[in-house]
């Protein structure tokens, strides 16, 4: 194990703890009120959704437009599981109920992902985008029309068990898993499919297997994100998970940079806060939002971070490099 | 027993018989050239050998094991690696990562071990890193390890593609027009690389090529294909003087 890697893991872990402690402190002294806290939770959920979509779209290179469908599947599975547990095993602590519901939601979403992925991933590019869009809508329409999901009236009575604390740590865990996954031999195989599927197959990568695997993991985490959403809002309306929701997640991924998890995190923060911050502009809100996106795509079409990850080391290296080049110039 | 054994291989696209009764055997450590004018069916033969097309008739055996109907990645595992006519690298990845992807099968840790960074991950990744770097050094490309593949000069890109194919530890290497688009200097470098492969690896090579200088210079045996049929077989000297070959290439 390399010393530098240990150091960078430690630095990142410390940074996460500091951010968490800071947030808790600000909440306790009341600077972050309930409204802000809600926005932060939505940011975290959007991070989960965008990071998981990034695995399918950014790393695997498969453009999918049905991510809200997996989110919906996860949200409803998690919500109904929690309602059931609450009714029969009410003595369980909230965190246990949440974790059990989320794990079941993740597994069911992954199964849905595999079921959709096996036929859909035979297609590429635009065709795949359209077929996943279709599947996403199918999931929504099914939910709208069956009984135990509450249909179009929505599902009520969901235990409100997502809190800032557990959403935060689940997000950290998911981003960590996605990062280590994409930086392992399996991750390299996944990225090689994005780069050139024919070449990947020609060097022995089992393309179908890794495509389905990437897609299933993305679906599973989207389901967990949906579950956290359900337990925070405590009410589910099928129309929240429409096509526009998928597009919103995709916009976060594209803006942050396809193939950059840290990019997705930054973009999720920006794009969740922005519509809220622009509330005072009332009718011009969406106009400004779209305008910003257009500007962004003109000046940085690869997204905020492109395919690279944000790291303290690269900033430090750049700083060092600049300092060295200044010294060199002065000597000359 | 021959390393590669192709018997009566044919493929039909609709009414067109693109390759007709193609026979070829390659022994260990042999370098065979496959030539022919444009549209003769050379790449089609290649695509059948590597599992991209399914032949309508005939059989292909590597080390006695039939590979017909297998997926390209399974054929790689059987010991046949290839390069492409128009270079196909993982362009946005580093040179080292290009090799590491081909080295995938040498690593044993599971997805779970990889995600949670268990000891086997560190051990495997370390050996992979060292082995791939050493591998690049054989090809004199160690200095380029961290460069994005797309930023390499053309000749080096081809070299990397060949190195990547070799990283899968094949028994037979198939090169599809490796000299296409190269200037004389780069072609010369390529000949050196092929010579290097023959010296350092115990491997047979099947080469499709247009560049006569290259083919005549390094191949031990040459097979000439025209309209999907073999019209001549033999040493470079024999092929050069074969009247049928002259007719195909120069006209009557």
């Amino acid at each position: 194990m390399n010393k530098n890697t240990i150091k960078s893991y430690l630095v990142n872990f410390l940074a996460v703890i500091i951010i968490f402690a800071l947030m808790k402190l600000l909440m306790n002294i009341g600077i972050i009120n309930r409204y802000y806290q809600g926005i932060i939770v939505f940011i975290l959920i959007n991070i989960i959704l965008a990071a998981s979509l990034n695995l399918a779209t950014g790393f695997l290179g498969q453009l999918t437009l049905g991510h809200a469908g997996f989110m919906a599947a996860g949200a409803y599975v998690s919500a109904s599981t929690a309602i059931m547990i609450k009714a029969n095993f009410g003595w369980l602590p909230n965190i246990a109920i949440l974790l059990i519901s989320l794990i079941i939601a993740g597994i069911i979403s992954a199964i849905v992902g595999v079921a959709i992925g096996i036929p859909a991933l035979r297609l590429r590019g635009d065709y795949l985008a359209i077929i996943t869009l279709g599947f996403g809508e199918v999931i929504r329409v099914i939910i709208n029309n069956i009984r135990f999901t509450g249909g179009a009236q929505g599902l009520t009575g969901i235990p409100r068990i997502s809190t800032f604390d557990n959403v935060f740590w689940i997000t950290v865990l998911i981003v960590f898993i996605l990062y280590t996954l994409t930086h392992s031999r399996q991750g390299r195989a996944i990225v090689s499919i994005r780069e050139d599927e024919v070449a990947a197959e020609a060097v022995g990568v089992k393309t179908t297997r890794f495509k389905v695997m990437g897609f299933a993991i993305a679906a599973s985490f989207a389901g967990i994100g949906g579950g956290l959403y359900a337990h925070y809002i405590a009410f589910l309306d099928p129309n929240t998970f429409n096509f526009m929701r998928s597009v919103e997640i995709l916009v976060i991924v594209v803006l942050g940079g396809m193939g950059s998890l840290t990019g997705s995190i930054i973009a999720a923060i920006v794009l969740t806060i922005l519509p809220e911050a622009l509330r005072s502009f009332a009718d011009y809100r969406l106009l400004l939002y779209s305008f910003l996106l257009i500007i962004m795509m003109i000046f940085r079409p690869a997204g905020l971070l492109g395919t690279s990850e944000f790291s303290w080391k690269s900033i430090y290296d750049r700083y060092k490099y600049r300092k060295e080049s200044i010294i060199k110039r002065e000597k000359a | 027993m021959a390393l590669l054994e192709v018997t009566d291989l044919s493929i039909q696209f609709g009414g067109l018989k693109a390759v007709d009764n193609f026979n070829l055997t390659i022994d260990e450590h042999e370098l065979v050239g496959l030539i022919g004018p444009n549209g003769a069916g050379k790449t089609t033969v290649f695509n059948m050998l590597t599992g991209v097309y399914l032949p309508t008739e005939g059989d292909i055996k590597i080390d006695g094991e039939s590979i017909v109907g297998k997926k390209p990645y399974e054929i790689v595992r059987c010991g046949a690696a290839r390069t492409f006519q128009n270079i196909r690298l993982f362009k946005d990845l580093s040179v080292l990562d290009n090799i590491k992807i081909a080295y995938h099968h040498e690593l044993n840790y599971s997805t779970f071990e990889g995600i949670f960074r268990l000891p086997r991950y560190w051990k495997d990744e370390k050996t992979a890193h060292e082995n791939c770097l050493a591998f690049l050094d054989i090809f004199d490309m160690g200095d380029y390890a961290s460069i994005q593949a797309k930023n390499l000069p053309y000749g080096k890109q081809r070299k990397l593609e060949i190195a990547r194919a070799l990283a899968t530890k094949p028994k037979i290497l198939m090169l599809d027009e490796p000299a296409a688009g190269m200037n004389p200097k780069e072609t010369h470098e390529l000949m050196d690389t092929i010579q290097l492969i023959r010296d350092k690896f115990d491997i047979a090579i099947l080469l499709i090529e247009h560049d006569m200088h290259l083919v005549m210079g390094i191949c031990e045996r040459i097979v000439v294909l025209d309209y999907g049929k073999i019209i001549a077989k033999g040493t470079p000297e024999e092929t050069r003087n074969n009247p049928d070959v002259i007719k195909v290439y120069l006209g009557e």
Side-chain angles (χ1 to χ4, degrees):
Chain A
M1 215 188 301
N2 189 315
K3 275 231 171 74
N4 279 328
T5 356
I6 297 181
K7 216 159 95 186
S8 74
Y9 280 28
L10 274 177
V11 167
N12 284 323
F13 189 62
L14 272 178
V16 167
I17 289 179
I18 290 170
I19 291 172
F20 181 72
L22 201 70
M23 292 275 191
K24 286 303 274 183
L25 183 76
L26 290 176
M27 274 169 207
N28 281 334
I29 55 176
I31 295 179
I32 295 181
N33 56 27
R34 276 202 72 81
Y35 170 63
Y36 288 141
Q37 198 179 325
I39 294 175
I40 291 172
V41 170
F42 285 131
I43 289 175
L44 292 169
I45 290 170
N46 276 341
I47 288 175
I48 295 178
L49 294 168
S52 61
L53 180 62
N54 210 338
L55 179 67
T57 303
F59 291 95
L60 188 60
Q62 311 298 320
L63 182 61
T64 63
L65 283 176
H67 219 52
F70 299 126
M71 186 190 170
Y76 275 92
V77 169
S78 187
S80 2
T81 315
I83 291 172
M84 227 161 64
I85 296 177
K86 197 88 185 167
N88 297 318
F89 308 95
W91 44 270
L92 275 170
N94 279 347
I95 182 75
I97 299 177
L98 182 71
L99 287 180
I100 295 169
S101 314
L102 288 181
I103 288 169
I104 292 174
I107 292 170
I108 301 280
S109 302
I111 292 170
V112 174
V114 171
I116 292 174
I118 288 174
L121 289 170
R122 287 162 178 269
L123 304 172
R124 285 172 206 188
D126 326 0
Y127 306 103
L128 179 69
I130 289 168
I131 199 169
T132 48
L133 189 161
F135 275 124
E137 286 295 283
V138 166
I139 293 175
R140 187 178 63 84
V141 170
I142 289 175
I143 291 171
N144 229 331
N145 286 294
I146 51 179
R147 222 192 188 131
F148 79 95
T149 59
Q153 284 180 339
L155 184 63
T156 50
I158 306 167
R160 195 187 291 269
I161 46 182
S162 290
T163 59
F164 167 75
D165 294 15
N166 50 41
V167 177
F168 184 88
W169 289 111
I170 290 168
T171 309
V172 170
L173 180 70
I174 287 178
V175 172
F176 172 80
I177 290 176
L178 286 171
Y179 179 83
T180 49
L181 173 71
T182 49
H183 291 75
S184 66
R185 79 184 174 112
Q186 286 81 9
R188 277 198 297 270
I190 284 175
V191 173
S192 77
I193 294 171
R194 170 191 79 193
E195 291 292 312
D196 193 322
E197 205 176 322
V198 178
E201 212 167 20
V203 295
V205 174
K206 292 177 185 168
T207 46
T208 318
R209 198 189 128 203
F210 282 106
K211 273 163 96 171
V212 173
M213 179 179 125
F215 202 69
I217 293 174
S220 162
F221 287 159
I224 292 176
L228 288 171
Y229 173 83
H231 295 301
Y232 192 76
I233 292 280
F235 169 74
L236 287 177
D237 169 14
N239 292 322
T240 342
F241 306 107
N242 60 8
F243 169 58
M244 281 317 291
R245 190 81 187 88
S246 300
V247 172
E248 269 170 40
I249 305 169
L250 186 67
V251 166
I252 296 177
V253 172
V254 173
L255 189 82
M258 303 233 243
S260 169
L261 290 171
T262 34
S264 290
I265 294 174
I266 296 170
I269 296 172
V270 172
L271 288 185
T272 318
I273 292 179
L274 206 61
E276 297 294 331
L278 292 177
R279 258 183 209 289
S280 46
F281 294 95
D283 293 346
Y284 300 103
R285 189 158 75 116
L286 286 175
L287 206 65
L288 261 169
Y289 181 84
S290 335
F291 186 69
L292 272 168
L293 287 180
I294 292 170
I295 297 282
M296 184 65 203
M297 283 300 107
I298 290 172
F299 290 105
R300 260 195 96 81
L304 283 170
L305 292 185
T307 55
S308 47
E309 298 287 354
F310 171 86
S311 78
W312 301 107
K313 193 173 171 296
S314 68
I315 292 177
Y316 175 72
D317 285 350
R318 188 174 291 181
Y319 168 75
K320 210 168 84 178
Y321 174 75
R322 191 168 291 169
K323 213 163 136 191
E324 272 167 9
S325 63
I326 289 171
I327 293 170
K328 246 182 231 162
R329 219 178 299 149
E330 276 172 356
K331 270 185 188 161
Chain B
M1 188 174 55
L3 180 62
L4 177 77
E5 216 176 336
V6 183
T7 38
D8 300 332
L9 195 68
S10 307
I11 189 168
Q12 205 154 356
F13 297 118
L16 174 78
K17 208 151 198 183
V19 175
D20 192 11
N21 273 328
F22 182 84
N23 285 287
L24 177 71
T25 50
I26 298 179
D27 290 320
E28 271 166 41
H29 212 73
E30 209 178 8
L31 206 175
V32 178
L34 178 62
I35 64 171
N38 284 326
K42 303 182 297 286
T43 302
T44 311
V45 168
F46 234 62
N47 281 338
M48 285 190 283
L49 293 181
T50 50
V52 179
Y53 295 154
L54 188 68
T56 21
E57 277 169 59
D59 197 11
I60 306 162
K61 280 182 180 155
I62 293 178
D63 254 354
E65 189 185 349
S66 175
I67 58 163
V68 172
K70 285 194 174 170
K71 291 249 168 65
Y73 60 77
E74 292 168 324
I75 292 174
V76 177
R77 289 280 71 80
C78 293
R82 71 171 294 184
T83 65
F84 296 88
Q85 196 168 338
N86 37 355
I87 300 178
R88 281 174 178 273
L89 289 173
F90 306 124
K91 290 199 187 78
D92 287 326
L93 302 183
S94 72
V95 169
L96 187 64
D97 277 346
N98 268 273
I99 302 289
K100 274 189 186 168
I101 288 165
Y103 201 72
H104 184 89
H105 61 282
E106 296 283 315
L107 298 161
N108 294 314
Y109 63 84
S110 65
T111 315
F112 184 81
E113 283 171 308
I115 286 175
F116 293 101
R117 296 291 195 250
L118 299 182
R120 196 135 75 119
Y121 165 85
W122 298 103
K123 205 182 107 224
D124 279 13
E125 281 291 317
K126 191 163 168 257
T127 31
H129 189 80
E130 282 160 5
N131 289 351
C132 291
L133 273 179
F135 195 79
L136 278 175
D137 278 335
I138 297 177
F139 292 91
D140 232 354
M141 290 185 65
D143 296 340
Y144 298 94
S146 57
I147 293 181
Q148 276 189 333
K150 65 179 174 195
N151 294 333
L152 287 176
Y154 188 79
K156 292 268 188 290
Q157 288 195 11
R158 178 64 80 191
K159 207 172 178 179
L160 175 61
E161 200 193 18
I162 295 173
R164 188 183 66 186
L166 283 171
T168 64
K169 301 234 169 102
K171 294 170 195 149
I172 178 163
L173 176 66
M174 308 190 199
L175 305 172
D176 192 353
E177 292 204 29
M182 283 189 173
N183 62 32
K185 191 172 157 270
E186 286 169 330
T187 309
H188 197 80
E189 241 186 81
L190 178 72
M191 286 172 80
D192 290 346
T193 310
I194 294 175
Q195 197 53 52
L196 181 91
I197 295 167
R198 306 214 59 203
D199 294 343
K200 300 230 166 156
F201 297 85
D202 184 25
I203 199 174
I205 299 177
L206 174 64
L207 178 84
I208 290 186
E209 193 44 73
H210 266 309
D211 190 304
M212 282 304 147
H213 173 66
L214 181 84
V215 176
M216 296 295 171
I218 59 173
C219 290
E220 289 157 352
R221 271 198 303 136
I222 290 175
V223 177
V224 189
L225 207 61
D226 189 33
Y227 290 111
K229 287 200 172 92
I230 294 176
I231 57 165
K233 269 182 179 179
T235 62
E237 205 51 44
E238 286 165 13
T239 348
R240 204 195 311 252
N241 300 323
N242 187 314
D244 286 335
V245 178
I246 297 171
K247 197 171 90 187
V248 165
Y249 269 92
L250 299 174
E252 280 177 271

